[in-house]
């Protein structure tokens, strides 16, 4: 089957960006829905252990998010390196980068599996998991870690497809795997009377299917990204290029998780009603975030190819069109969510106070999304040029540093939910400002443009 790749180097831009971004957003939304299905199954069909089972799955969310976010950043490095090589028409570099990315995924998955199994109990103790939940949480984490090689293989294979503009194939793979995951959850939990071990095993099996599907599609591809098993190995130059771009992006995502943990601890101090409201609102607001983040990844991939082809004027057009379309799509998503926000929140909890507190969080977070959209596009644009460390450092300072300082010094004087939520627009506006300064400083289209074309005779 021919991969539905996009020609990023020629033709119109405005219609191709949504073709890339929207399937990517749909993939992230499906991941959220299928994760929610895991919680729903153990919450409804494990009898007396339902509360403990849900708590066990939830207790692992931070650890799992931290691990996967780090490697998703690395996979973004693979997207940029391969896209840049495609733009240059460098078939040797494409081949080496593709096979290095797949090798990195498998080796990284095995390392995470080994280290995670050795430190699983210590990690959960560090998170102060309650004693009655601890055995189930440890069981879930140990089984889940067994699937890390295939989980990372899916993410890196998806990154390879994204480098040629194909976001539909990973979406199709996830759709198959997600539906299978739901059926396996029901089979293991209802049919075999398992608890968290059932949903963990279902996750591994379904992720194995999605990873194998993408690998098979890569092997059958007629594009330059075709995979040959005998060539899978680490190429030093490709590895260092992927690491240079991907590692800062992974650390940036990991630090985001840590800063959110600090905010969550402050929220927890306000009692169960606020905790429930914040949890419900988070599960709603994430749908708008994945839309704006998808356009950021689109910007990175499109710019990456055009930098390789030295089409710098086209890079500028990609930036402005991507920023405009991202603002429009995010505004539409926010408007839709706010319009029916209270009704959506009521699915999670019918308490009127919880619904109103949750809606308050939505307003604060969505007010900050104007800045989020800008800094995501700024960051994605710079990464397309291979500039990854600076956006990562500025984001760590602007988001993580400001939020931690705000909770440490501001929150004790204004011990309210609104004061915590104020950390979002404050930190994100500062981060957007810092990244705008970085963009103006680097002026990447001028820096990377050949001297002869900058100074024509």
């Amino acid at each position: 089957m021919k991969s539905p790749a996009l020609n990023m180097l020629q033709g119109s831009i405005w219609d191709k960006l949504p073709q890339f971004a929207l399937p990517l957003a749909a993939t992230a939304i499906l991941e959220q829905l299928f994760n929610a299905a895991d919680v729903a199954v153990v919450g409804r069909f494990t009898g007396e252990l339902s509360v403990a089972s849900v708590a066990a799955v939830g207790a692992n969310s931070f650890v799992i998010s931290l691990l996967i976010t780090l490697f998703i950043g690395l996979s973004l490095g693979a997207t940029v390196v391969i896209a840049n090589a495609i733009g240059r028409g460098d078939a040797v570099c494409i081949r080496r980068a593709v096979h290095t990315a797949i090798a990195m995924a498998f080796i990284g998955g095995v390392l995470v599996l080994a280290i995670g199994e050795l430190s699983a109990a210590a990690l959960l103790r560090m998170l102060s998991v309650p004693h009655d939940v601890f055995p189930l949480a440890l069981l879930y984490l140990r089984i889940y870690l067994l699937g890390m090689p295939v989980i990372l293989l899916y993410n890196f294979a998806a990154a390879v497809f994204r480098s040629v503009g194909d976001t539909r194939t990973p979406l199709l793979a996830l759709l198959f795997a997600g539906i299978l995951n739901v059926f396996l959850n029901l089979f293991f939990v209802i049919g075999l009377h398992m608890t968290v071990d059932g949903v963990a095993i279902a996750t591994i099996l379904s992720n194995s299917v999605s990873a194998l599907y993408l690998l098979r599609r890569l092997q059958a591809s007629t594009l330059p990204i075709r995979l040959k098993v005998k060539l899978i190995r680490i190429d030093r130059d490709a590895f260092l290029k992927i690491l240079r771009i991907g590692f800062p992006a992974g650390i940036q995502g990991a630090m985001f998780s840590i800063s959110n943990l600090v905010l969550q601890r402050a929220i927890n101090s306000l009692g169960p009603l606020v905790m429930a409201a914040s949890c419900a609102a988070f599960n709603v607001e994430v749908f708008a975030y994945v839309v704006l983040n998808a356009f950021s990844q689109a910007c990175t991939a499109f710019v990456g190819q055009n930098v390789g082809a030295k089409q710098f004027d086209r890079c500028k057009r990609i930036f402005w069109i991507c920023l405009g379309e991202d603002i429009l799509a995010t505004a539409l998503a926010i408007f839709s969510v706010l319009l029916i926000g209270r009704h959506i929140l009521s699915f999670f909890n019918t308490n009127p106070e919880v619904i109103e507190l949750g809606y308050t969080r939505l307003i604060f977070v969505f007010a900050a999304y104007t800045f989020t959209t800008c800094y995501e596009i700024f960051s994605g644009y710079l990464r397309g040029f291979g500039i990854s460390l600076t956006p990562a450092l500025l984001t760590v300072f602007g988001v993580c540093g400001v939020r931690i300082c705000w909770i440490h010094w501001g929150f004790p004087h204004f011990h309210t939910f609104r004061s915590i939520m104020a950390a979002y627009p404050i930190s994100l506006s500062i981060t957007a400002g810092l990244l705008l300064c970085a963009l103006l400083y680097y002026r990447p289209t001028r820096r990377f443009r050949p001297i002869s074309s900058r100074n024509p005779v």
Side-chain angles (χ1 to χ4, degrees):
M1 294 176 63
K2 187 178 179 181
S3 178
L6 293 173
N7 184 349
M8 303 182 189
L9 301 174
Q10 297 172 329
S12 60
I13 299 169
W14 67 270
D15 58 330
K16 292 176 182 176
L17 285 170
Q19 289 179 51
F20 183 103
L22 295 182
L24 191 60
T27 301
I29 290 171
L30 281 177
E31 286 177 341
Q32 292 294 326
L33 292 175
F34 291 138
N35 289 339
D38 290 353
V39 176
V41 169
V42 295
R44 297 193 61 178
F45 301 111
T46 52
E48 295 178 355
L49 292 174
S50 61
V51 174
S53 295
V54 171
V57 175
N60 281 294
S61 60
F62 171 72
V63 177
I64 292 169
S65 173
L66 198 62
L67 293 173
I68 294 179
T69 300
L70 177 61
F71 281 92
I72 286 177
L74 285 174
S75 72
L76 182 61
T79 298
V80 175
V81 171
I82 298 168
N84 192 260
I86 291 171
R88 297 196 311 272
D90 190 340
V92 173
C93 183
I94 296 169
R95 184 178 68 249
R96 290 175 178 174
V98 168
H99 292 87
T100 296
I102 300 302
M104 286 175 65
F106 182 74
I107 294 170
V110 172
L111 287 175
V112 172
L113 165 61
I115 296 170
E117 292 291 353
L118 292 173
S119 59
L123 282 170
L124 293 177
R125 290 192 187 98
M126 185 178 68
L127 293 172
S128 302
V129 176
H131 295 295
D132 56 336
V133 176
F134 189 89
L136 287 173
L138 183 60
L139 175 63
Y140 179 83
L141 182 57
R142 287 198 185 282
I143 296 174
Y144 192 97
L145 287 168
L146 293 174
M148 286 306 297
V150 291
I151 292 171
L152 297 190
L153 277 172
Y154 168 82
N155 281 288
F156 274 77
V160 173
F161 278 106
R162 286 196 294 270
S163 68
V164 294
D166 181 2
T167 53
R168 285 183 285 172
T169 298
L171 173 60
L172 186 62
L174 181 68
L175 184 61
F176 286 155
I179 294 171
L180 177 63
N181 185 46
V182 172
F183 281 106
L184 288 175
N185 280 341
L186 297 172
F187 171 72
F188 287 126
V189 175
I190 298 177
L192 300 184
H193 305 291
M194 300 172 76
T195 58
V196 294
D197 50 347
V199 295
I201 294 171
T203 298
I204 294 174
L205 293 176
S206 58
N207 275 287
S208 299
V209 170
S210 62
L212 289 173
Y213 175 79
L214 289 188
L215 291 176
R216 290 293 297 171
R217 287 296 302 270
L218 283 175
Q219 287 180 287
S221 176
T222 58
L223 297 171
I225 57 171
R226 185 173 183 178
L227 179 71
K228 295 182 180 179
V229 175
K230 64 181 180 181
L231 296 179
I232 296 177
R233 61 177 62 89
I234 297 288
D235 177 84
R236 183 177 178 273
D237 289 340
F239 174 75
L240 291 177
K241 287 178 182 178
I242 292 172
L243 206 62
R244 180 174 60 84
I245 298 171
F247 186 71
I251 294 298
Q252 176 181 328
M255 292 302 295
F256 243 111
S257 298
I258 292 172
S259 71
N260 286 335
L261 179 64
V262 172
L263 291 180
Q264 186 60 46
R265 285 180 175 174
I267 289 169
N268 293 348
S269 70
L270 298 177
L273 281 177
V274 175
M275 290 172 63
S278 182
C279 179
F282 174 79
N283 282 283
V284 176
E285 72 200 34
V286 72
F287 292 110
Y289 174 76
V290 298
V291 173
L292 68 89
N293 179 257
F295 277 91
S296 172
Q297 293 190 51
C299 187
T300 297
F302 275 69
V303 170
Q305 277 202 21
N306 283 274
V307 168
K310 301 187 184 305
Q311 298 185 152
F312 299 107
D313 289 336
R314 188 174 174 86
C315 290
K316 286 183 179 180
R317 293 201 301 274
I318 290 168
F319 170 79
W320 288 111
I321 293 172
C322 201
L323 181 62
E325 290 189 349
D326 198 2
I327 291 173
L328 182 62
T330 303
L332 182 61
I334 289 173
F335 175 77
S336 301
V337 171
L338 288 179
L339 188 65
I340 57 173
R342 288 184 174 86
H343 297 289
I344 300 175
L345 290 169
S346 66
F347 284 111
F348 294 91
N349 197 301
T350 57
N351 186 309
E353 190 173 354
V354 169
I355 293 171
E356 286 306 311
L357 285 169
Y359 199 77
T360 297
R361 173 177 171 125
L362 291 180
I363 291 173
F364 270 92
V365 172
F366 287 159
Y369 271 13
T370 302
F371 305 113
T372 306
T373 301
C374 292
Y375 96 72
E376 287 275 5
I377 296 297
F378 297 163
S379 183
Y381 183 67
L382 290 171
R383 285 202 189 96
F385 284 89
I387 303 169
S388 185
L389 182 59
T390 299
L393 291 175
L394 293 178
T395 302
V396 168
F397 173 78
V399 174
C400 306
V402 170
R403 289 181 184 180
I404 291 170
C405 291
W406 179 260
I407 294 301
H408 183 70
W409 284 299
F411 177 59
H413 298 289
F414 306 97
H415 201 261
T416 65
F417 184 52
R418 286 176 176 269
S419 70
I420 298 174
M421 290 299 99
Y424 284 95
I426 292 172
S427 62
L428 293 170
S429 61
I430 290 174
T431 305
L434 291 172
L435 281 166
L436 176 60
C437 292
L439 197 62
L440 295 173
Y441 170 77
Y442 280 106
R443 294 185 181 274
T445 55
R446 294 180 61 182
R447 175 171 295 198
F448 284 82
R449 191 188 299 271
I451 294 176
S452 59
S453 64
R454 267 185 278 167
N455 302 295
V457 177

